[in-house]
Amino acid sequence: MAQKVTKIGVLTSGGDSPGMNAAIRAVVRTGIYHGLEVFGIMRGYQGMIEDDIFRMEGRSVANIIQRGGTILKTARCKEFFEPEGRKKAYENLKRRGIDGLVIIGGDGSFRGAVKFSNEFDIPCIGLAGTIDKDINGTDFTIGFDTAVNTAVEAIDKIRDTMDAHDRIFIIEVMGRDAGYIALHSGIATGAENILVPERKTNMDDIITSLLEKERRKKLVNLIVVAEGDEFGGATEVEKVLKKNLPNAEIRVCILGHIQRGGSPSCIDRLIASRMGYHAVESLMEGRHNVFVGILNNKMHYIPLETAVKNKGRISEEWMKIVKILAS
Ligand code: ADP
């Protein structure tokens, strides 16, 4: 029988994503509703190691659902990779009587949680907070929808000037290992080409079609590139194109960190609220070392171990759709 939890800690770790605050709010308020003591842990695993931990009340999370970033701050913590670091973290939690953890972060944070929970007797529940949507076993991750919408808004604006000048635009979006932001924002803005890390790009095809457009004096072309594509991002793609189309007007725009910030979309607030609520319910029901996912609109509890990168999941069909719709 799992022991009943009485004091839980919540932290945000790794890359921040819009909607993390909504998730923290849901965890804190659901915990308090159930009569638990809830503790905020600052700067992810770093705060666990440094005992930067404070008691949270319902009002500690007032007026944050609409804010991007994370009130608990986030960090990348080298010490947590080492057994001594994790032991220090455990001792701090133990001393405070914290007997359950909610970890909001990406697959790296989940890997840390797996190690920690294999070593110590504190159940961990993960919430997938990542703009990249690169966690297996859930249709949604907190922050993806907002990031994609930010990218779409920016690309729409760039398209206006691209169109006015008959230019080739190469726009780089985030996604070191996963091309979902590129795929979704590219399709939604009518990009002619979308380059993602999961699939090989036939550059000869792209060049042939651009040369053809050049002949017709219709050289307007939008290329959306994930930062981790095989060429190494937009600037590298530009070099290849420049070599083959020396007279073309090519512009590069790297959207960068604007994709991480900003007020979370309605969808991200909803899923964060729902996942946060279920994270606490899960701890109360004695679940441990799973993350909360949503599949076909139902909650699922997936072992943290399986939350690995979703490489190779962008199907041939998606790329066919891109090609047909942009032709
Ligand atoms: P994300 O959670 O956004 O994928 P990272 O990959 O940077 O971000 O991971 C966040 C933190 O999780 C790391 O800084 C580290 O403290 C912890 N972590 C990641 N991988 C491991 C691991 N294999 N062992 C222990 N801790 C890890």
Side-chain angles (χ1 to χ4, degrees):
M1 263 298 277
Q3 263 188 318
K4 209 172 156 350
V5 293
T6 55
K7 297 185 183 185
I8 63 172
V10 56
L11 61 88
T12 49
S13 163
D16 64 309
S17 66
M20 280 182 159
N21 280 326
I24 296 167
R25 173 178 177 269
V27 169
V28 171
R29 296 215 166 146
T30 309
I32 288 169
Y33 168 80
H34 284 297
L36 306 179
E37 279 183 45
V38 185
F39 291 84
I41 302 167
M42 295 301 291
R43 294 172 292 114
Y45 296 127
Q46 196 69 44
M48 240 159 93
I49 291 172
E50 292 171 6
D51 198 31
D52 194 355
I53 299 173
F54 68 102
R55 178 85 184 268
M56 294 183 87
E57 307 295 344
R59 65 178 181 280
S60 328
V61 289
N63 205 18
I64 64 166
I65 193 167
Q66 76 281 23
R67 283 168 53 191
T70 156
I71 59 161
L72 294 178
K73 311 260 181 191
T74 183
R76 298 203 150 88
C77 171
K78 280 210 185 96
E79 275 180 273
F80 205 73
F81 283 91
E82 308 303 326
E84 306 81 64
R86 295 194 293 273
K87 186 160 178 279
K88 230 192 231 174
Y90 172 74
E91 283 162 359
N92 288 333
L93 297 185
K94 215 53 199 173
R95 200 172 44 254
R96 290 175 178 272
I98 294 173
D99 46 17
L101 266 187
V102 178
I103 290 147
I104 308 165
D107 70 319
S109 303
F110 286 6
R111 266 194 292 275
V114 168
K115 282 205 180 143
F116 184 75
S117 58
N118 283 338
E119 290 164 347
F120 304 109
D121 58 350
I122 295 187
C124 298
I125 304 288
L127 293 187
T130 158
I131 61 166
D132 292 331
K133 201 165 86 80
D134 57 351
I135 296 216
N136 230 339
T138 181
D139 292 338
F140 297 95
T141 62
I142 298 163
F144 174 72
D145 185 64
T146 309
V148 166
N149 277 298
T150 301
V152 166
E153 210 184 313
I155 297 170
D156 281 347
K157 288 178 180 158
I158 292 165
R159 188 180 257 291
D160 289 346
T161 168
M162 176 184 89
D163 223 40
H165 287 275
D166 270 355
R167 279 179 180 147
I168 298 174
F169 247 100
I170 309 169
I171 300 179
E172 182 179 303
V173 296
M174 280 188 164
R176 235 171 308 188
D177 302 293
Y180 290 105
I181 296 182
L183 182 74
H184 287 226
S185 65
I187 290 176
T189 54
E192 276 81 4
N193 315 99
I194 301 175
L195 279 57
V196 294
E198 293 90 338
R199 303 192 68 90
K200 281 230 157 294
T201 301
N202 189 336
M203 193 50 94
D204 290 342
D205 262 8
I206 296 180
I207 290 164
T208 306
S209 88
L210 289 176
L211 287 169
E212 168 59 24
K213 279 186 171 182
E214 195 175 42
R215 265 192 295 279
R216 288 191 281 121
K217 300 202 179 328
K218 277 259 168 244
L219 206 44
V220 180
N221 202 92
L222 171 60
I223 304 173
V224 175
V225 184
E227 61 182 327
D229 86 300
E230 69 192 276
F231 296 94
T235 322
E236 296 307 311
V237 172
E238 184 196 20
K239 283 182 195 157
V240 178
L241 293 187
K242 274 231 158 104
K243 238 185 249 162
N244 292 278
L245 294 121
N247 301 319
E249 269 207 76
I250 305 176
R251 295 286 184 276
V252 167
C253 180
I254 297 171
L255 295 188
H257 281 82
I258 62 163
Q259 294 159 94
R260 271 195 197 284
S263 186
S265 68
C266 176
I267 288 185
D268 278 330
R269 296 181 202 191
L270 284 180
I271 61 161
S273 301
R274 205 170 163 203
M275 286 179 174
Y277 164 84
H278 281 282
V280 177
E281 296 285 319
S282 303
L283 280 172
M284 306 267 306
E285 287 161 13
R287 285 203 180 84
H288 52 92
N289 312 339
V290 293
F291 78 96
V292 182
I294 300 178
L295 279 175
N296 300 323
N297 206 24
K298 291 219 157 54
M299 305 312 294
H300 282 261
Y301 303 95
I302 302 114
L304 282 169
E305 275 100 345
T306 65
V308 289
K309 299 252 173 193
N310 249 347
K311 275 207 161 196
R313 287 275 303 273
I314 291 180
S315 68
E316 189 61 44
E317 193 175 41
W318 270 121
M319 301 323 272
K320 193 173 161 192
I321 292 172
V322 173
K323 207 166 179 174
I324 292 172
L325 298 191
S327 61

